[in-house]
């Protein structure tokens, strides 16, 4: 019977300075004293990544993506070595590994690489040798192939035959990539648990800064967590949750600053018996774009959305009004920080497509309810719209997924809306498996799509 | 006919901030516009290495050497990527490589690794592809072997057969290691020249801060440069000079802040015809240790010097007086910064060996004259001692090599001594090949070892 294997991930704020690094080391040492084998993934210290970006920005407006990845990866190298040193100082055998040394290979998309494979042999060997392994998160290594002049001829003359050089390149996984590193390692190492240490205690029914009686969840399903994260809950990156889901990795989100149980993200067999709304998410980083009087003919949507996708702009809610007089209004949301870029792309297209006007609105926000099985029980939509109406909040757009309903509203109504929904779905109350929701919800039924828009996404 | 290949090395002060990095990039771009292929080695920005050491020191008093090397190597990764970005911004194709990517393999002595081999295939391939290659200096990669549990069994159970894991480890080459990186690459790439950019214009006949009319040398031999560096001239690390000597690499030391020819370090066929004193070096980082009345019997020297060597303390001048009454006085120098450590080691030995007393003196300094062929012309020693005597400087100890004579003197007489020697050997005058030195020197002959000590090193 071997020791349980736990993968732990500590974010930048947990290792922001020497004191915090020593505290993280003490926590790791305590877990190890409990008999666990440990593989620990760390982010760069505090604001290191932003500082390195600023340094690159002082050199050039347009840093080469490969060079930027090499530069940024040093932040995690540094924190990993320092955590390892701090463990040594506590008498705990430890070793830091770069992403490459930890066997994390990726594709070659600099700045947003995807993990292609994890070769766990080095990590396993170090754990088998009794060490805590500290892995630099957020990074991996890709392979490229170069033609080199022949080696035999030291003068490098043109007559020498060409040789193939396999060049290992450092790649980074994008923002939040350390979560992905941790989950990928946990999957490949068959870890018993993957713990993500953050500056909050876990996943809440809503943002506790907005809803004071928001309640921490003991457990949440992968799909529900994904929807919450997509809709603005910033605790965990969606990629890491997806990877955990596909590989069945049990993820625990917990605080690195206090000793308290966190929230488990895992397959939840109780899901059908629970109160089906598990939590609320909200997002202020959103802006609405409306193309007024777009000619109503095939191919128009593609002409609008393809160039945005090519520019890497993530379009979320898309709503098209019923057409009249051969034209229609097309509205959608983009991240607020990308609005200017989206306008630059769409302005010339306006002339080509012949729509009348492009209007934008940055004073909007999204609020979502999330829970497995929501779509199968239309009462939830009714209760959501009713609660917002009772609170005097006007709904501008609506989209849904299997387990989510999202409303776009005015940003200045956001906190009112979140609190009203939290109360309406009684999220402050501990969950029961005997929900009587459907019956009560039907009392204030409201038509889905009652504001005259149709959700198409 | 291929383009000339130049290896350039820029030290930390040359890349200390974004402005200086852009300036370095402009210099590289200019050289490239002249038609050269370029491989550029960089040190970490400014005080980065010291800052990283301080960070490690805030975590632990005794950082693990492997982890420290991983940490320190990030400094050069950062500067290399930034120089590459700055070249891109100028439209010059460039790529940064870590020591490992540049094929620099070392032994496994962390913090003071020696270069074992350079595989130039990646560097050659990138140059052949038209790029300026920027190599992170000061570092390489070593291989170690680990036993790993078998890969086939994902659960890592004990029944799986062990597999060998070849683990690539980052190593650093010690202070000044970037010079060594540059010369090693120049040797292996068959470069036409290796340029070391520093904050001085080249090698001088003496430290210009002490001797205002010190003269920059156009050329100096490897062996002379080695002696100057060993005796306190801090422009270049001795290891890099040695490596250049063994491989016949022509090294140029020049300023990164002005456009002026530097000093070439190379085999100097004119050496026998030149004024044989090429330059002076001085060193204040020295302390004298004297063991008073050491029993005069075999094995005593070993009992003293072996423990010092094991502690890594570099003993330089060693002088033993003629014995009397079965005892002798043994004096030697250690770096002043190591004096306390040397005393801690020698105090217990004093009781074992039975010497009467251990005295130390930290207010001493060394001054050396260096020039190929000095030893074959005893007139130089005479002139040196005479010049010091005329200046009222008392000589405490003397040592010599084939091409050097060093005197230990009181530190407060150091500047007087350096200026007197510079004048006595007429080093401010441009060199001629028709030296008349021997004749004039014989006029003030003085017995070598005239102060009653005997050089034994």
């Amino acid at each position: 019977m071997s020791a349980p294997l736990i993968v732990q991930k500590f974010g930048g704020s947990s290792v922001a300075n020497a004191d915090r690094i020593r505290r993280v080391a003490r926590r790791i040492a305590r877990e190890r004293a409990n008999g666990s084998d440990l593989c620990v993934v760390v982010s760069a210290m505090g604001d290191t990544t932003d500082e390195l970006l600023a340094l690159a920005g002082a050199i050039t407006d347009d840093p080469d993506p490969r060079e930027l990845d090499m530069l940024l990866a040093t932040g995690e190298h540094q924190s990993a070595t320092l955590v390892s040193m701090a463990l040594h100082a506590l008498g705990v055998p430890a070793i830091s590994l770069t992403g490459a040394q930890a066997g994390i290979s990726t594709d070659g998309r600099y700045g947003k690489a995807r993990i292609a494979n994890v070769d766990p042999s080095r990590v396993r060997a170090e754990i088998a040798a009794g060490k805590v392994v500290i892995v630099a998160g957020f990074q991996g290594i890709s392979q490229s192939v170069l033609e080199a002049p022949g080696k035999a001829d030291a003068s490098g003359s043109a007559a020498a035959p060409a040789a193939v050089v396999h060049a290992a390149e450092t790649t980074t996984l994008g923002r939040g990539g350390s979560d992905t590193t941790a989950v990928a390692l946990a999957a490949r190492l068959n870890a018993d648990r993957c713990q993500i240490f953050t500056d909050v205690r876990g996943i809440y029914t809503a943002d506790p800064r907005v809803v004071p009686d928001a309640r921490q969840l003991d457990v949440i399903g992968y799909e529900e967590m994904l929807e919450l994260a997509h809709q603005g809950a910033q605790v965990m990156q969606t990629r890491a949750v997806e990877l955990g889901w596909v590989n069945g990795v049990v993820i625990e989100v917990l605080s690195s600053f206090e000793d308290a149980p966190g929230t488990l993200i895992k397959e939840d067999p109780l899901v059908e018996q629970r109160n089906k709304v598990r939590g609320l998410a909200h997002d202020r980083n959103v802006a609405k774009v409306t193309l007024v009087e777009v000619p109503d003919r095939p191919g128009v949507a593609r002409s609008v959305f393809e160039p945005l996708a090519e520019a890497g702009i993530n379009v979320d809610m898309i709503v098209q009004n019923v057409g009249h007089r051969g034209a229609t209004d097309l509205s959608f949301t983009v991240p607020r920080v990308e609005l200017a870029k989206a306008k630059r792309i769409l302005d010339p297209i306006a002339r080509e497509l012949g729509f009348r006007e492009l209007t934008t609105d940055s004073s909007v926000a999204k609020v979502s309810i999330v829970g497995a099985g929501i779509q199968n029980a239309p009462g939830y939509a009714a209760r959501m719209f009713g609660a917002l109406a009772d609170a005097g909040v006007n709904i501008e757009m609506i989209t849904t997924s299997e387990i989510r309903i999202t409303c776009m509203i005015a940003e200045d109504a956001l906190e009112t809306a979140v609190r009203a929904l939290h109360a309406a779905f009684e999220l402050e109350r501990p969950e029961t498996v005997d929900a009587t929701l459907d019956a009560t919800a039907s009392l204030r039924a409201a038509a889905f799509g009652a504001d005259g828009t149709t959700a198409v996404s």
Side-chain angles (χ1 to χ4, degrees), chain A:
Chain A
M1 184 59 203
S2 60
L5 174 59
I6 301 180
V7 173
Q8 298 187 324
K9 179 257 171 177
F10 293 92
S13 64
S14 304
V15 293
N17 55 45
D19 274 350
R20 290 193 181 176
I21 286 172
R22 281 196 297 264
R23 183 161 57 182
V24 162
R26 286 195 297 272
R27 186 183 267 272
I28 294 168
R30 210 159 59 231
E31 186 67 47
R32 190 181 151 81
N34 290 339
S36 302
D37 284 339
L38 283 162
C39 175
V40 176
V41 176
V42 293
S43 302
M45 293 171 70
D47 299 324
T48 302
T49 302
D50 288 333
E51 287 163 12
L52 292 173
L53 283 169
L55 195 51
I59 301 278
T60 172
D61 292 339
D62 182 25
D64 180 74
R66 176 192 178 276
E67 301 298 343
L68 196 59
D69 272 15
M70 289 262 287
L71 178 66
L72 295 182
T74 63
E76 281 75 15
H77 293 174
Q78 293 176 349
S79 54
T81 59
L82 293 167
V83 170
S84 177
M85 288 178 194
L87 284 166
H88 289 180
L90 297 174
V92 176
I95 187 165
S96 74
L97 300 179
T98 63
Q101 289 175 324
I104 299 183
S105 55
T106 71
D107 61 23
R109 295 194 295 172
Y110 296 113
K112 51 186 176 185
R114 312 288 298 195
I115 294 178
N117 192 26
V118 178
D119 172 357
S121 50
R122 173 90 194 256
V123 174
R124 285 222 182 103
E126 300 290 359
I127 289 174
K131 290 179 191 166
V132 173
V133 177
I134 317 293
V135 177
F138 175 66
Q139 60 185 268
I141 196 153
S142 73
Q143 296 286 328
S144 62
V145 172
L146 290 165
E147 295 285 306
K151 288 187 189 186
D153 181 359
S155 70
S157 86
V164 166
V165 179
H166 290 278
E169 302 289 2
T170 299
T171 50
T172 68
L173 308 178
R175 286 273 167 185
S178 293
D179 288 355
T180 308
T181 302
V183 174
L185 279 166
R188 198 69 177 81
L189 293 167
N190 245 16
D192 296 273
R193 185 171 292 189
C194 180
Q195 296 184 313
I196 308 288
F197 289 89
T198 70
D199 48 9
V200 298
R201 287 175 64 170
I203 310 299
Y204 282 72
T205 51
D207 186 336
R209 289 168 298 189
V210 174
V211 183
D213 60 354
R215 187 173 45 78
Q216 187 190 334
L217 297 167
D218 298 330
V219 64
I220 189 166
Y222 294 110
E223 198 178 2
E224 292 169 327
M225 185 66 229
L226 271 182
E227 289 282 9
L228 286 175
H230 268 304
Q231 295 306 321
Q234 295 177 347
V235 176
M236 261 201 89
Q237 287 291 311
T238 55
R239 283 172 63 189
V241 179
E242 282 168 357
L243 197 62
W245 190 5
V246 170
N247 291 282
V249 175
V250 177
I251 300 169
E252 183 178 11
V253 175
L254 68 177
S255 167
S256 62
F257 298 111
E258 39 185 320
D259 267 319
T263 298
L264 292 179
I265 306 172
K266 60 174 194 170
E267 288 293 355
D268 182 0
L270 289 178
V271 88
E272 284 296 317
Q273 301 159 52
R274 288 183 192 274
N275 177 336
K276 286 184 181 100
V277 174
R278 303 300 313 287
L280 308 179
H282 68 262
D283 191 359
R284 287 185 164 90
N285 178 22
V286 57
K288 183 171 74 164
V289 177
T290 300
L291 310 186
V292 181
E293 289 188 19
V294 181
D296 198 0
R297 61 168 189 261
V300 165
R302 191 179 60 189
S303 305
V304 171
F305 295 119
E306 255 187 14
L308 292 174
E310 280 164 12
I313 296 175
N314 188 29
V315 173
D316 185 14
M317 307 174 88
I318 302 175
V319 174
Q320 185 169 335
N321 274 10
V322 176
H324 52 102
R325 289 181 289 125
T328 182
D329 291 350
L330 178 64
S331 291
F332 53 88
T333 60
V334 296
R336 199 176 291 171
V337 293
E338 309 256 39
L339 179 59
K341 192 171 159 194
K343 276 199 70 171
R344 276 199 305 277
I345 291 166
L346 291 172
D347 278 334
I349 295 173
R351 285 188 295 275
E352 282 171 39
L353 288 183
F355 55 78
R356 186 162 65 84
E357 191 183 4
L358 184 154
T359 65
T360 62
D361 185 354
S362 286
S363 61
V364 294
K366 292 188 300 184
V367 59
S368 305
I369 61 171
V370 171
I374 272 183
Q375 192 75 317
N376 299 328
Y380 290 95
R383 196 199 284 206
M384 183 178 190
F385 306 149
L388 291 176
D390 291 349
V393 176
N394 190 43
I395 300 170
E396 299 193 29
M397 289 166 78
I398 298 168
T399 56
T400 64
S401 77
E402 283 295 309
I403 65 164
R404 169 184 58 83
I405 305 171
T406 298
C407 295
M408 194 178 79
I409 59 179
E411 185 180 7
D412 57 15
L414 182 62
E415 302 207 351
T416 302
V418 172
R419 289 191 202 103
L421 291 171
H422 202 269
F425 290 100
E426 299 177 341
L427 293 178
E428 75 288 357
R429 289 175 51 178
E431 290 168 306
T432 61
V433 293
D434 178 22
T436 55
L437 183 71
D438 283 12
T440 57
S442 61
L443 293 178
R444 25 178 173 158
F448 177 58
D451 61 347
T453 66
T454 308
V456 297
S457 79

